[in-house]
Amino acid sequence: DQQVKQNSPSLSVQEGRISILNCDYTNSMFDYFLWYKKYPAEGPTFLISISSIKDKNEDGRFTVFLNKSAKHLSLHIVPSQPGDSAVYFCAASVYPGTALIFGKGTTLSVSS
Amino acid sequence: NAGVTQTPKFQVLKTGQSMTLQCAQDMNHEYMSWYRQDPGMGLRLIHYSVGAGITDQGEVPNGYNVSRSTTEDFPLRLLSAAPSQTSVYFCASSPPPPTDTQYFGPGTRLTVL
């Protein structure tokens, strides 16, 4: 049973517009949520994170929103750029810094 | 800092062979983990360690062994490789809490024939 779900395998967005990537989880013990970006033939790169005591975290063009009651989080990228084209993984853990459970990823394509 | 390094980058094994995937980090991180990624799947946790001498199983531990004798190294051993272990393997490390971020290596692509 998947504990972290990314139900959209792909997303296409025009340059300058907003990209919204969604993630749902089932384990109520998760307290730490992270987004990773991955290019082909490379390891995942950390993007942004949020803990369960917050409902929003911003870092430049990236904002993560957490809705604990709905067990849902989303990543907003504004404005989207062609260099943002990659696979984005949502991940969650009970304890910080270890034992991440990943979703299957969403492939984002940003066209110019 | 070199960060998290993994060797080899590529490996082809025959069914039944054994091998060790190497992972090292020079950031003095306490926590280290191994993941595998298969096509169409996210990364799945194999084993993890919260410090030298301490390891635990993740989601898919069968067929893999780990040990953590030093802070820097966290090797992953395949005792008898099977075609189902064909995958890309990623090692990650992180400082202890409250940091929640794991830093990943570049991966090892393993093919078992």
PDB file of all heavy atoms in Angstrom, chain B residues 75-99:
ATOM      1  N   PRO B  75      28.382   0.648   3.106  1.00  0.00           N
ATOM      2  CA  PRO B  75      28.312  -0.244   1.946  1.00  0.00           C
ATOM      3  C   PRO B  75      27.037  -1.081   1.930  1.00  0.00           C
ATOM      4  O   PRO B  75      26.507  -1.457   2.978  1.00  0.00           O
ATOM      5  CB  PRO B  75      29.549  -1.130   2.122  1.00  0.00           C
ATOM      6  CG  PRO B  75      29.824  -1.112   3.597  1.00  0.00           C
ATOM      7  CD  PRO B  75      29.385   0.233   4.088  1.00  0.00           C
ATOM      8  N   LEU B  76      26.582  -1.380   0.724  1.00  0.00           N
ATOM      9  CA  LEU B  76      25.403  -2.219   0.518  1.00  0.00           C
ATOM     10  C   LEU B  76      25.854  -3.506  -0.162  1.00  0.00           C
ATOM     11  O   LEU B  76      26.446  -3.463  -1.236  1.00  0.00           O
ATOM     12  CB  LEU B  76      24.379  -1.497  -0.366  1.00  0.00           C
ATOM     13  CG  LEU B  76      23.099  -2.256  -0.706  1.00  0.00           C
ATOM     14  CD1 LEU B  76      22.192  -2.365   0.530  1.00  0.00           C
ATOM     15  CD2 LEU B  76      22.346  -1.567  -1.850  1.00  0.00           C
ATOM     16  N   ARG B  77      25.546  -4.633   0.440  1.00  0.00           N
ATOM     17  CA  ARG B  77      26.005  -5.920  -0.084  1.00  0.00           C
ATOM     18  C   ARG B  77      24.856  -6.715  -0.681  1.00  0.00           C
ATOM     19  O   ARG B  77      23.799  -6.856  -0.060  1.00  0.00           O
ATOM     20  CB  ARG B  77      26.665  -6.742   1.022  1.00  0.00           C
ATOM     21  CG  ARG B  77      27.906  -6.103   1.592  1.00  0.00           C
ATOM     22  CD  ARG B  77      28.590  -6.995   2.615  1.00  0.00           C
ATOM     23  NE  ARG B  77      29.684  -6.287   3.258  1.00  0.00           N
ATOM     24  CZ  ARG B  77      29.537  -5.493   4.318  1.00  0.00           C
ATOM     25  NH1 ARG B  77      28.335  -5.311   4.850  1.00  0.00           N
ATOM     26  NH2 ARG B  77      30.580  -4.875   4.833  1.00  0.00           N
ATOM     27  N   LEU B  78      25.089  -7.231  -1.892  1.00  0.00           N
ATOM     28  CA  LEU B  78      24.177  -8.185  -2.516  1.00  0.00           C
ATOM     29  C   LEU B  78      24.865  -9.544  -2.412  1.00  0.00           C
ATOM     30  O   LEU B  78      25.923  -9.757  -3.007  1.00  0.00           O
ATOM     31  CB  LEU B  78      23.920  -7.838  -3.973  1.00  0.00           C
ATOM     32  CG  LEU B  78      22.994  -6.660  -4.288  1.00  0.00           C
ATOM     33  CD1 LEU B  78      23.645  -5.330  -3.937  1.00  0.00           C
ATOM     34  CD2 LEU B  78      22.573  -6.700  -5.748  1.00  0.00           C
ATOM     35  N   LEU B  79      24.301 -10.459  -1.661  1.00  0.00           N
ATOM     36  CA  LEU B  79      24.973 -11.739  -1.415  1.00  0.00           C
ATOM     37  C   LEU B  79      24.818 -12.695  -2.581  1.00  0.00           C
ATOM     38  O   LEU B  79      25.744 -13.446  -2.895  1.00  0.00           O
ATOM     39  CB  LEU B  79      24.417 -12.362  -0.134  1.00  0.00           C
ATOM     40  CG  LEU B  79      24.656 -11.544   1.141  1.00  0.00           C
ATOM     41  CD1 LEU B  79      24.040 -12.256   2.334  1.00  0.00           C
ATOM     42  CD2 LEU B  79      26.137 -11.309   1.365  1.00  0.00           C
ATOM     43  N   SER B  80      23.659 -12.687  -3.232  1.00  0.00           N
ATOM     44  CA  SER B  80      23.405 -13.567  -4.367  1.00  0.00           C
ATOM     45  C   SER B  80      22.451 -12.818  -5.294  1.00  0.00           C
ATOM     46  O   SER B  80      21.237 -12.851  -5.113  1.00  0.00           O
ATOM     47  CB  SER B  80      22.785 -14.880  -3.893  1.00  0.00           C
ATOM     48  OG  SER B  80      22.507 -15.723  -4.992  1.00  0.00           O
ATOM     49  N   ALA B  81      23.030 -12.124  -6.272  1.00  0.00           N
ATOM     50  CA  ALA B  81      22.252 -11.208  -7.103  1.00  0.00           C
ATOM     51  C   ALA B  81      21.163 -11.938  -7.899  1.00  0.00           C
ATOM     52  O   ALA B  81      21.379 -13.064  -8.390  1.00  0.00           O
ATOM     53  CB  ALA B  81      23.172 -10.454  -8.045  1.00  0.00           C
ATOM     54  N   ALA B  82      20.018 -11.263  -8.031  1.00  0.00           N
ATOM     55  CA  ALA B  82      18.884 -11.776  -8.799  1.00  0.00           C
ATOM     56  C   ALA B  82      18.460 -10.726  -9.817  1.00  0.00           C
ATOM     57  O   ALA B  82      18.664  -9.528  -9.584  1.00  0.00           O
ATOM     58  CB  ALA B  82      17.722 -12.101  -7.867  1.00  0.00           C
ATOM     59  N   PRO B  83      17.878 -11.152 -10.952  1.00  0.00           N
ATOM     60  CA  PRO B  83      17.437 -10.157 -11.952  1.00  0.00           C
ATOM     61  C   PRO B  83      16.503  -9.094 -11.374  1.00  0.00           C
ATOM     62  O   PRO B  83      16.504  -7.955 -11.844  1.00  0.00           O
ATOM     63  CB  PRO B  83      16.729 -11.031 -12.997  1.00  0.00           C
ATOM     64  CG  PRO B  83      17.436 -12.345 -12.910  1.00  0.00           C
ATOM     65  CD  PRO B  83      17.732 -12.526 -11.442  1.00  0.00           C
ATOM     66  N   SER B  84      15.744  -9.451 -10.334  1.00  0.00           N
ATOM     67  CA  SER B  84      14.835  -8.479  -9.716  1.00  0.00           C
ATOM     68  C   SER B  84      15.586  -7.339  -9.016  1.00  0.00           C
ATOM     69  O   SER B  84      14.976  -6.331  -8.637  1.00  0.00           O
ATOM     70  CB  SER B  84      13.925  -9.184  -8.710  1.00  0.00           C
ATOM     71  OG  SER B  84      14.694  -9.773  -7.681  1.00  0.00           O
ATOM     72  N   GLN B  85      16.889  -7.508  -8.839  1.00  0.00           N
ATOM     73  CA  GLN B  85      17.683  -6.449  -8.205  1.00  0.00           C
ATOM     74  C   GLN B  85      18.290  -5.493  -9.226  1.00  0.00           C
ATOM     75  O   GLN B  85      19.031  -4.575  -8.850  1.00  0.00           O
ATOM     76  CB  GLN B  85      18.771  -7.075  -7.327  1.00  0.00           C
ATOM     77  CG  GLN B  85      18.196  -7.814  -6.129  1.00  0.00           C
ATOM     78  CD  GLN B  85      19.257  -8.466  -5.269  1.00  0.00           C
ATOM     79  OE1 GLN B  85      20.073  -9.264  -5.741  1.00  0.00           O
ATOM     80  NE2 GLN B  85      19.246  -8.144  -3.980  1.00  0.00           N
ATOM     81  N   THR B  86      17.970  -5.692 -10.498  1.00  0.00           N
ATOM     82  CA  THR B  86      18.346  -4.721 -11.516  1.00  0.00           C
ATOM     83  C   THR B  86      17.648  -3.413 -11.215  1.00  0.00           C
ATOM     84  O   THR B  86      16.420  -3.358 -11.133  1.00  0.00           O
ATOM     85  CB  THR B  86      17.948  -5.225 -12.912  1.00  0.00           C
ATOM     86  OG1 THR B  86      18.719  -6.388 -13.229  1.00  0.00           O
ATOM     87  CG2 THR B  86      18.186  -4.146 -13.962  1.00  0.00           C
ATOM     88  N   SER B  87      18.428  -2.349 -11.020  1.00  0.00           N
ATOM     89  CA  SER B  87      17.862  -1.088 -10.563  1.00  0.00           C
ATOM     90  C   SER B  87      18.955  -0.028 -10.537  1.00  0.00           C
ATOM     91  O   SER B  87      20.122  -0.295 -10.812  1.00  0.00           O
ATOM     92  CB  SER B  87      17.277  -1.265  -9.151  1.00  0.00           C
ATOM     93  OG  SER B  87      16.530  -0.138  -8.752  1.00  0.00           O
ATOM     94  N   VAL B  88      18.541   1.183 -10.212  1.00  0.00           N
ATOM     95  CA  VAL B  88      19.504   2.240  -9.916  1.00  0.00           C
ATOM     96  C   VAL B  88      19.491   2.450  -8.405  1.00  0.00           C
ATOM     97  O   VAL B  88      18.420   2.623  -7.811  1.00  0.00           O
ATOM     98  CB  VAL B  88      19.165   3.556 -10.639  1.00  0.00           C
ATOM     99  CG1 VAL B  88      20.217   4.613 -10.314  1.00  0.00           C
ATOM    100  CG2 VAL B  88      19.069   3.337 -12.143  1.00  0.00           C
ATOM    101  N   TYR B  89      20.667   2.420  -7.814  1.00  0.00           N
ATOM    102  CA  TYR B  89      20.790   2.506  -6.363  1.00  0.00           C
ATOM    103  C   TYR B  89      21.358   3.860  -5.962  1.00  0.00           C
ATOM    104  O   TYR B  89      22.374   4.309  -6.505  1.00  0.00           O
ATOM    105  CB  TYR B  89      21.697   1.377  -5.853  1.00  0.00           C
ATOM    106  CG  TYR B  89      21.065   0.017  -6.008  1.00  0.00           C
ATOM    107  CD1 TYR B  89      21.143  -0.688  -7.212  1.00  0.00           C
ATOM    108  CD2 TYR B  89      20.354  -0.557  -4.959  1.00  0.00           C
ATOM    109  CE1 TYR B  89      20.530  -1.916  -7.362  1.00  0.00           C
ATOM    110  CE2 TYR B  89      19.745  -1.803  -5.096  1.00  0.00           C
ATOM    111  CZ  TYR B  89      19.840  -2.464  -6.302  1.00  0.00           C
ATOM    112  OH  TYR B  89      19.233  -3.684  -6.445  1.00  0.00           O
ATOM    113  N   PHE B  90      20.685   4.477  -5.013  1.00  0.00           N
ATOM    114  CA  PHE B  90      21.121   5.774  -4.508  1.00  0.00           C
ATOM    115  C   PHE B  90      21.423   5.680  -3.020  1.00  0.00           C
ATOM    116  O   PHE B  90      20.664   5.095  -2.252  1.00  0.00           O
ATOM    117  CB  PHE B  90      20.047   6.841  -4.726  1.00  0.00           C
ATOM    118  CG  PHE B  90      19.803   7.180  -6.161  1.00  0.00           C
ATOM    119  CD1 PHE B  90      18.718   6.655  -6.847  1.00  0.00           C
ATOM    120  CD2 PHE B  90      20.663   8.030  -6.840  1.00  0.00           C
ATOM    121  CE1 PHE B  90      18.489   6.969  -8.179  1.00  0.00           C
ATOM    122  CE2 PHE B  90      20.446   8.351  -8.167  1.00  0.00           C
ATOM    123  CZ  PHE B  90      19.360   7.817  -8.839  1.00  0.00           C
ATOM    124  N   CYS B  91      22.514   6.308  -2.652  1.00  0.00           N
ATOM    125  CA  CYS B  91      22.889   6.447  -1.254  1.00  0.00           C
ATOM    126  C   CYS B  91      22.631   7.892  -0.846  1.00  0.00           C
ATOM    127  O   CYS B  91      22.775   8.812  -1.664  1.00  0.00           O
ATOM    128  CB  CYS B  91      24.369   6.092  -1.093  1.00  0.00           C
ATOM    129  SG  CYS B  91      24.999   6.240   0.583  1.00  0.00           S
ATOM    130  N   ALA B  92      22.256   8.097   0.402  1.00  0.00           N
ATOM    131  CA  ALA B  92      21.987   9.447   0.890  1.00  0.00           C
ATOM    132  C   ALA B  92      22.516   9.598   2.303  1.00  0.00           C
ATOM    133  O   ALA B  92      22.642   8.611   3.044  1.00  0.00           O
ATOM    134  CB  ALA B  92      20.486   9.744   0.857  1.00  0.00           C
ATOM    135  N   SER B  93      22.818  10.838   2.672  1.00  0.00           N
ATOM    136  CA  SER B  93      23.261  11.100   4.040  1.00  0.00           C
ATOM    137  C   SER B  93      22.615  12.384   4.543  1.00  0.00           C
ATOM    138  O   SER B  93      22.189  13.232   3.757  1.00  0.00           O
ATOM    139  CB  SER B  93      24.786  11.210   4.121  1.00  0.00           C
ATOM    140  OG  SER B  93      25.241  12.440   3.568  1.00  0.00           O
ATOM    141  N   SER B  94      22.541  12.501   5.860  1.00  0.00           N
ATOM    142  CA  SER B  94      21.991  13.724   6.448  1.00  0.00           C
ATOM    143  C   SER B  94      22.563  13.929   7.834  1.00  0.00           C
ATOM    144  O   SER B  94      22.925  12.963   8.521  1.00  0.00           O
ATOM    145  CB  SER B  94      20.469  13.665   6.502  1.00  0.00           C
ATOM    146  OG  SER B  94      20.043  12.584   7.296  1.00  0.00           O
ATOM    147  N   PRO B  95      22.648  15.183   8.247  1.00  0.00           N
ATOM    148  CA  PRO B  95      23.052  15.459   9.624  1.00  0.00           C
ATOM    149  C   PRO B  95      21.941  15.034  10.569  1.00  0.00           C
ATOM    150  O   PRO B  95      20.809  14.795  10.136  1.00  0.00           O
ATOM    151  CB  PRO B  95      23.261  16.974   9.666  1.00  0.00           C
ATOM    152  CG  PRO B  95      22.874  17.496   8.349  1.00  0.00           C
ATOM    153  CD  PRO B  95      22.379  16.392   7.498  1.00  0.00           C
ATOM    154  N   PRO B  96      22.218  14.958  11.855  1.00  0.00           N
ATOM    155  CA  PRO B  96      21.164  14.576  12.803  1.00  0.00           C
ATOM    156  C   PRO B  96      20.120  15.672  12.930  1.00  0.00           C
ATOM    157  O   PRO B  96      20.335  16.786  12.467  1.00  0.00           O
ATOM    158  CB  PRO B  96      21.933  14.371  14.118  1.00  0.00           C
ATOM    159  CG  PRO B  96      23.170  15.171  13.970  1.00  0.00           C
ATOM    160  CD  PRO B  96      23.512  15.152  12.516  1.00  0.00           C
ATOM    161  N   PRO B  97      18.977  15.352  13.533  1.00  0.00           N
ATOM    162  CA  PRO B  97      17.926  16.354  13.731  1.00  0.00           C
ATOM    163  C   PRO B  97      18.468  17.579  14.447  1.00  0.00           C
ATOM    164  O   PRO B  97      19.414  17.474  15.230  1.00  0.00           O
ATOM    165  CB  PRO B  97      16.907  15.611  14.596  1.00  0.00           C
ATOM    166  CG  PRO B  97      17.151  14.179  14.328  1.00  0.00           C
ATOM    167  CD  PRO B  97      18.614  14.047  14.056  1.00  0.00           C
ATOM    168  N   PRO B  98      17.882  18.752  14.167  1.00  0.00           N
ATOM    169  CA  PRO B  98      16.572  18.936  13.521  1.00  0.00           C
ATOM    170  C   PRO B  98      16.623  18.999  12.006  1.00  0.00           C
ATOM    171  O   PRO B  98      15.567  19.127  11.382  1.00  0.00           O
ATOM    172  CB  PRO B  98      16.117  20.282  14.088  1.00  0.00           C
ATOM    173  CG  PRO B  98      17.384  21.044  14.300  1.00  0.00           C
ATOM    174  CD  PRO B  98      18.402  20.023  14.719  1.00  0.00           C
ATOM    175  N   THR B  99      17.802  18.885  11.386  1.00  0.00           N
ATOM    176  CA  THR B  99      17.858  18.917   9.922  1.00  0.00           C
ATOM    177  C   THR B  99      17.045  17.769   9.350  1.00  0.00           C
ATOM    178  O   THR B  99      17.186  16.627   9.791  1.00  0.00           O
ATOM    179  CB  THR B  99      19.306  18.800   9.435  1.00  0.00           C
ATOM    180  OG1 THR B  99      20.068  19.854  10.003  1.00  0.00           O
ATOM    181  CG2 THR B  99      19.377  18.898   7.922  1.00  0.00           C
TER     182      THR B  99
END
